[in-house]
Amino acid sequence: MSGAAALDLRYPIGGLFVVLGLLLAGYGAMTHGDATMYARATGLNINLWWGAAMLAFGALFLALAARAGRRATARPAMETPEGRETERREHEAGLET
Amino acid sequence: MPVAQLTSLDYVVMAIYFAVVLGIGWALRRMMRTSTDFFLSGRSLPPWVTGLAFLSANLGAQEVIGMGASGAKYGIATAHFYWVGAIPAMVFVGLFMMPFYYGSRARSVPEYLKLRFDEKTRTLNAVSFAAMTVFSSGVSMYAMGKLLNLLLGWDFDTSVLVAAAIVLAYVLLGGLTSAIYNEVLQFFMIVFGFAPLVWIGLRAVGGWGGLRYRLGQLALDRGLPADALTHTWKGMGDAATNPIGVEWFGLMMGLAFVLSFGYWCTDFLVVQRAMAADSMSAARRTPLIAALPKMFFPFLVILPGMIALAHGSDASVGGLATAGTGMIPPKLLPSGVPMVNEQGSFVLDYDLATPMMLVRLFPTGMLGLGVTALMASFMSGMAGNVTAFNTVWTYDIYQAHIRKGASDAHYLWMGRAATVGGIALSIAAAYVAGAFNNIMDFLQLIFAFVNAPLFATFALGMFWKRSTGHGAFWGLVAGTLGAALHHGLTLARGSTPGVKGGYFATLHLYRSELAQTFYTATAAFLTCFVVTIVISLATRPRADDELRGLVYSLTPRPADDSRHWTQRPAVLASVVLGMTLLLNVLFY
């Protein structure tokens, strides 16, 4: 038993990018048409477009995590044939305390 | 006077990111029951997680800042570090070496050496590795503190201590799992922070065509062929026609073979991530999955440096090398006066290429994201070093020599204590780096010597059952001496004898420091290889029975437990190598 079963990593990743994407895209929408602000970025409203890209990416990760929610994503080592085999070897080699 | 000002929105972006980082550590705190959980994530992680962590663990300051700097110095040829260096080595470690690391159930790379050779070889590797990780994490912190101070006017001590405290908190709470989870998060953060930089940067210089045109002018100013900065292989026939100043043989032998294989196949910092995978097949796929995004990293980390060099260099006025240096500021002397070389042009501070792009091109909002990505890269490097350090210290030094046979709970406690100790030592190293620049150069050099011969030891250990502990130990020592000897007899153009080499005599002058490094590594490898073989033949070999699972010829081929052919390591490896070959051809 370890962290993999406790927390599907896709939730925090998806959540972070959804929040950051909303924040930047929202700010980009508010400042749309501010030519002086975006002059440095070759006139591209980078906040809006990149924020939207991050939002889409975050939503995709949340969807993947939700879909996998019903099945466990990680198997403890003892549940795989290899895991059992190596556990056995470890016992024989006396590597375990 | 700082270069840029962050607004409250930028700080909000930063705060959200760090809240998630600490939240991950908090969510995992209950999972750390045994020392295996803390040091090896209980060997339970899926391959996409360990793969991205494998990539991200060394994606510290050296890579993001250093590759940008090399991009400005050497152009697209810097991609050799990836396309003939890292990728083939990652494929090799996944296909051929991981079965022994993972299958032997060693808990660390030095422990594998103990199983395969003997205690003294393990200890030599463990001590030098532990010292090296503390030192490189200290350098990472120092670089971060200096950079944030210069760009944003932040206080050096505060930024170092706060970054260290965050890393300490999430590693203490969730051990290696927390470090790995955060490395994956940092990977996405770095990609999303730097990709728009390349996008806007390319728009600003007129795309790849515009970049080629402007860099052509600059290459001519440096006395190189016009396309030297935008081709990887074209000028490699002769050291004089490419910006790295090395010919193809030195590149292939020194970088592609010795340095890259030495790092990716033997460095516990990255191998530890694969050891945390949940099965042999997942462990073998870890470096292969990492290689897929890795091959595109040149576009993410090298291009910003090249664009910074080209940006603002007015291509219509050729020959103005002093003015046309784009966004990269000159190096300053302690008095604040720009440094000038003997030709009368400014000495550029290439390390600022990528950070300068960030603060010059990003508007508020994206700026917060970019600076956070930069901090994320520094911290992932730091956390990777600290988790590798606490494992090697606890298992290979403390348990092996100081306290054998204590309870598992005691070693778990020791691991947490070593985490605190490792961070404290890193902070100390950061301050030493600030006070004595030459000591740092000197240390870096020693570690280069220690690392260069390692791959010879591992290759002989895994693929030649006749090699012995005495051979491995003295081979490593001799390899280090061989590197020191070569370095002491050669010098790079423009260096003075001392830390840069030539302390015995100058028998040969290389065109660049990088060329000198490649040949130093080659000398170390060959010395170690020959000495290990000679001493092994003169000493008593170990019985075959003791080497099962540790040597290639005595180990059954690992069975693929993947149900589907698309998940087989060999298939993945072929795809990775094919794509890498294509990239080499496209940017020849």
Side-chain angles (χ1 to χ4, degrees), chain B residues 143-202:
Chain B
M144 182 186 72
K146 223 175 94 170
L147 189 66
L148 293 176
N149 178 272
L150 180 85
L151 290 182
L152 309 169
W154 292 4
D155 179 51
F156 177 88
D157 303 59
T158 313
S159 28
V160 165
L161 291 176
V162 169
I166 291 174
V167 171
L168 178 69
Y170 75 73
V171 175
L172 267 189
L173 282 166
L176 183 68
T177 313
S178 175
I180 284 183
Y181 272 26
N182 274 307
E183 276 156 12
V184 177
L185 191 70
Q186 280 148 348
F187 165 80
F188 287 114
M189 200 69 198
I190 291 164
V191 170
F192 275 96
F194 284 90
L197 191 64
V198 177
W199 183 23
I200 300 176
L202 279 176

Side-chain angles (χ1 to χ4, degrees), chain B residues 486-492 496-507 516:
Chain B
H486 174 273
H487 191 255
L489 293 173
T490 59
L491 201 59
T496 44
V499 169
K500 301 286 187 194
Y503 32 84
F504 300 132
T506 306
L507 300 182
Q516 185 191 18

Side-chain angles (χ1 to χ4, degrees), chain A residues 40-41, chain B residues 197 200-201 204 311 327 356-363:
Chain A
R40 50 172 50 204
Chain B
L197 191 64
I200 300 176
H311 196 288
M327 292 195 171
M356 277 305 193
M357 285 268 292
L358 226 126
V359 297
R360 290 279 162 80
L361 295 185
F362 277 172

Side-chain angles (χ1 to χ4, degrees), chain B residues 206-228:
Chain B
W208 178 247
L211 186 65
R212 276 178 55 183
Y213 179 70
R214 292 173 187 231
L215 291 179
Q217 293 291 331
L218 292 168
L220 289 173
D221 292 339
R222 292 191 200 173
L224 291 163
D227 49 13

Side-chain angles (χ1 to χ4, degrees), chain B residues 93-312:
Chain B
V93 74
L95 285 186
F96 298 105
M97 290 176 84
M98 207 43 79
F100 306 111
Y101 282 141
Y102 194 84
S104 68
R105 302 303 270 172
R107 298 165 302 179
S108 69
V109 167
E111 188 156 71
Y112 172 82
L113 286 178
K114 160 84 175 78
L115 296 172
R116 172 63 186 85
F117 293 121
D118 56 11
E119 187 63 64
K120 63 176 182 295
T121 313
R122 183 242 291 261
T123 306
L124 178 67
N125 182 241
V127 170
S128 64
F129 179 79
M132 187 173 64
T133 50
V134 163
F135 162 71
S136 43
S137 118
V139 167
S140 214
M141 285 189 191
Y142 168 73
M144 182 186 72
K146 223 175 94 170
L147 189 66
L148 293 176
N149 178 272
L150 180 85
L151 290 182
L152 309 169
W154 292 4
D155 179 51
F156 177 88
D157 303 59
T158 313
S159 28
V160 165
L161 291 176
V162 169
I166 291 174
V167 171
L168 178 69
Y170 75 73
V171 175
L172 267 189
L173 282 166
L176 183 68
T177 313
S178 175
I180 284 183
Y181 272 26
N182 274 307
E183 276 156 12
V184 177
L185 191 70
Q186 280 148 348
F187 165 80
F188 287 114
M189 200 69 198
I190 291 164
V191 170
F192 275 96
F194 284 90
L197 191 64
V198 177
W199 183 23
I200 300 176
L202 279 176
R203 276 175 58 111
V205 296
W208 178 247
L211 186 65
R212 276 178 55 183
Y213 179 70
R214 292 173 187 231
L215 291 179
Q217 293 291 331
L218 292 168
L220 289 173
D221 292 339
R222 292 191 200 173
L224 291 163
D227 49 13
L229 290 168
T230 46
H231 278 277
T232 53
W233 286 105
K234 212 172 171 176
M236 279 294 155
D238 182 349
T241 54
N242 70 72
I244 298 182
V246 68
E247 77 303 330
W248 65 271
F249 177 78
L251 179 89
M252 289 310 285
M253 189 69 202
L255 174 68
F257 187 61
V258 179
L259 286 174
S260 299
F261 278 75
Y263 179 81
W264 291 100
C265 301
T266 71
D267 198 286
F268 181 54
L269 172 73
V270 287
V271 174
Q272 186 180 27
R273 271 73 200 149
M275 283 181 170
D278 62 6
S279 69
M280 172 72 86
S281 146
R284 292 181 73 202
R285 274 182 287 144
T286 294
L288 300 171
I289 290 172
L292 284 169
K294 182 89 178 168
M295 71 176 71
F296 298 104
F297 261 58
F299 305 120
L300 198 70
V301 295
I302 297 173
L303 271 183
M306 293 167 67
I307 295 167
L309 187 70
H311 196 288

Side-chain angles (χ1 to χ4, degrees), chain A residues 1-4 6-7 13 17 24 27 37-38 40-42 44 46-47 50 54 57 74 82 86 89-90, chain B residues 9 28 31 37 41 44-45 103 105 181 185 188 192 196 199 203-204 279-280 359-366:
Chain A
M1 182 61 198
S2 85
L7 170 70
I13 293 176
F17 282 101
L24 287 186
Y27 184 70
M37 180 173 159
Y38 293 110
R40 50 172 50 204
T42 63
L44 192 73
I46 189 76
N47 282 335
W50 201 248
M54 285 165 72
F57 172 82
E82 275 179 339
T86 34
R89 258 219 306 274
E90 205 172 287
Chain B
L9 175 72
L28 294 170
M31 298 297 141
D37 290 337
S41 306
S44 66
L45 299 178
R105 302 303 270 172
Y181 272 26
L185 191 70
F188 287 114
F192 275 96
W199 183 23
R203 276 175 58 111
S279 69
M280 172 72 86
V359 297
R360 290 279 162 80
L361 295 185
F362 277 172
T364 185
M366 275 309 292

